[in-house]
Amino acid sequence: MKLIDLHVHSNISDGTLSPTDLAIYAKAKGLSAIALTDHDTISGIEACALKGLEIDLTVVPGIEFSAEYKSGEIHILGYYIDHHSDILEEKLKSIIQNRVQRNAKMVEKLNTLGLIITEADLLGDNPPETILTRAHVATALYKKGYVKTRSEAFDKYIGHDKPAYIPRVRVTPEECIKTIHLAGGLAVLAHPNLYGLTSFDKELLLKELITLGLDGVETHYSTHTKEDVQELSALCLKYKLLPTGGSDFHGENKPGLDIGIGYGDLKIPYDILDAMHNRLGSAHK
Ligand code: AMP
Ligand code: ZN
Ligand code: FE
Ligand code: FE
């Protein structure tokens, strides 16, 4: 059976492999297709896709947006986006600008707390175009010896409501879905079981997102049980949504989680891509 992984991060966001090495790694692991879904950036797509062509690996251009939902955050994946789209570029520019300002504020807060790091420390050895997230802040604190683990950094300093936490400027689910559609892509709710919602509230969220044009749901995911997959697949059937799947591979930043197989049991069939093509060929565009 041909297998795929539609949720993969490179070192252009908070993964550790370069976009090129990701393609090589996915191929070596026997996958037929991957989607590169870096946080708030598309700058790794070109290199990943080129390598994919060379080694006969399908590379789906993707992205992962974070959107505000109630008091928390949801993630929305975009697939088959035109990474040359001006509208997408504009949106990303403003999101990235906000992140840069926010990172400066977080560094400042950490410094006043006696944790001396600089913005350059956040980049570390990553490529200059890397989108720097709190994951990079955690790594910098870890490397400087201020925390013993990255999660300690979140628990003590940069987690939600902790002393050095600065919120990002609000991006709504509507904006994310609209941007993805205007860039010609499909919008998919990422890891629906990571938001701490009851089944009732999860369905409510889906219904809200469907009114905004949601195309699919990430039914197959590293931490999903068989029952989770069944529940989410049933919701997809009920609401005519595409089931999709990905591991959320981050290289060494998520130890024990491998591309394609997640924590060992993940299997994402290639058919999913065919269904996505069909939907792109019809519907909303
Ligand atoms: P940001 O988008 O800058 O708010 O950062 C979000 C990133 O931080 C996510 O992609 C996660 O990789 C990471 N993250 C968030 N919360 C935690 C946590 N409690 N422990 C470890 N990593 C986290
Ligand atoms: Zn991530
Ligand atoms: Fe996510
Ligand atoms: Fe992700």
Side-chain angles (χ1 to χ4, degrees), residues 2 54 58 75 80 102-103 151 184 239-240 255 265 271 280:
K2 278 166 79 179
E54 201 182 304
T58 300
H75 290 178
Y80 292 104
R102 173 204 193 213
N103 288 341
S151 46
Y239 293 107
K240 296 193 173 61
D265 296 333
D271 304 359
L280 272 175

Side-chain angles (χ1 to χ4, degrees), residues 154-169:
F154 284 92
D155 295 342
K156 282 192 178 161
Y157 305 113
I158 56 171
H160 199 253
D161 289 338
K162 295 294 184 274
Y165 176 75
I166 303 279
R168 274 180 289 124
V169 161

Side-chain angles (χ1 to χ4, degrees), residues 9 14 39 64 248 250:
H9 295 270
D14 56 353
H39 299 280
E64 183 171 19
D248 215 353
H250 280 70

Side-chain angles (χ1 to χ4, degrees), residues 7 9 39 64-65 75 77 190-191 194-195 221 248 250 254:
H7 191 156
H9 295 270
H39 299 280
E64 183 171 19
F65 283 115
H75 290 178
L77 295 155
H191 42 65
L194 290 192
Y195 309 128
Y221 188 71
D248 215 353
H250 280 70
K254 280 198 184 177

Side-chain angles (χ1 to χ4, degrees), residues 13-30:
S13 66
D14 56 353
T16 54
L17 291 184
S18 72
T20 306
D21 286 346
L22 260 182
I24 295 169
Y25 186 63
K27 183 75 183 178
K29 289 281 173 169

Side-chain angles (χ1 to χ4, degrees), residues 24-223:
I24 295 169
Y25 186 63
K27 183 75 183 178
K29 289 281 173 169
L31 297 179
S32 300
I34 58 167
L36 183 63
T37 54
D38 276 314
H39 299 280
D40 298 339
T41 181
I42 46 171
S43 64
I45 289 172
E46 203 90 30
C48 191
L50 267 178
K51 183 49 78 175
L53 266 181
E54 201 182 304
I55 61 177
D56 191 26
L57 172 85
T58 300
V59 174
V60 177
I63 191 159
E64 183 171 19
F65 283 115
S66 310
E68 300 296 322
Y69 181 71
K70 304 214 162 144
S71 58
E73 182 178 295
I74 58 170
H75 290 178
I76 296 174
L77 295 155
Y79 290 118
Y80 292 104
I81 43 168
D82 168 12
H83 57 291
H84 300 295
S85 152
D86 291 341
I87 294 159
L88 182 60
E89 193 184 313
E90 276 307 301
K91 187 85 217 152
L92 291 177
K93 231 193 244 169
S94 97
I95 292 175
I96 291 166
Q97 200 174 20
N98 171 249
R99 275 195 179 275
V100 170
Q101 289 164 354
R102 173 204 193 213
N103 288 341
K105 282 187 203 156
M106 283 200 285
V107 165
E108 205 179 298
K109 281 222 174 185
L110 287 165
N111 287 345
T112 50
L113 291 169
L115 309 173
I116 309 304
I117 61 164
T118 64
E119 285 175 66
D121 292 330
L122 303 188
L123 187 61
D125 300 328
N126 288 72
E129 67 271 37
T130 301
I131 301 302
L132 298 172
T133 68
R134 280 182 296 151
H136 301 88
V137 179
T139 300
L141 289 172
Y142 170 72
K143 282 196 177 157
K144 289 258 165 169
Y146 289 123
V147 289
K148 288 193 197 69
T149 60
R150 289 190 184 85
S151 46
E152 188 186 334
F154 284 92
D155 295 342
K156 282 192 178 161
Y157 305 113
I158 56 171
H160 199 253
D161 289 338
K162 295 294 184 274
Y165 176 75
I166 303 279
R168 274 180 289 124
V169 161
R170 258 181 98 83
V171 182
T172 64
E174 185 173 13
E175 279 175 273
C176 295
I177 293 174
K178 209 166 154 189
T179 305
I180 291 166
H181 283 169
L182 287 171
L186 296 166
V188 171
L189 178 65
H191 42 65
N193 288 6
L194 290 192
Y195 309 128
L197 299 173
T198 61
S199 289
F200 182 84
D201 285 340
K202 207 172 0 183
E203 190 159 351
L204 206 65
L205 165 64
L206 278 185
K207 285 199 254 185
E208 281 178 46
L209 295 180
I210 288 165
T211 64
L212 304 173
L214 188 76
D215 297 290
V217 171
E218 194 170 49
T219 51
H220 297 62
Y221 188 71
S222 292
T223 54

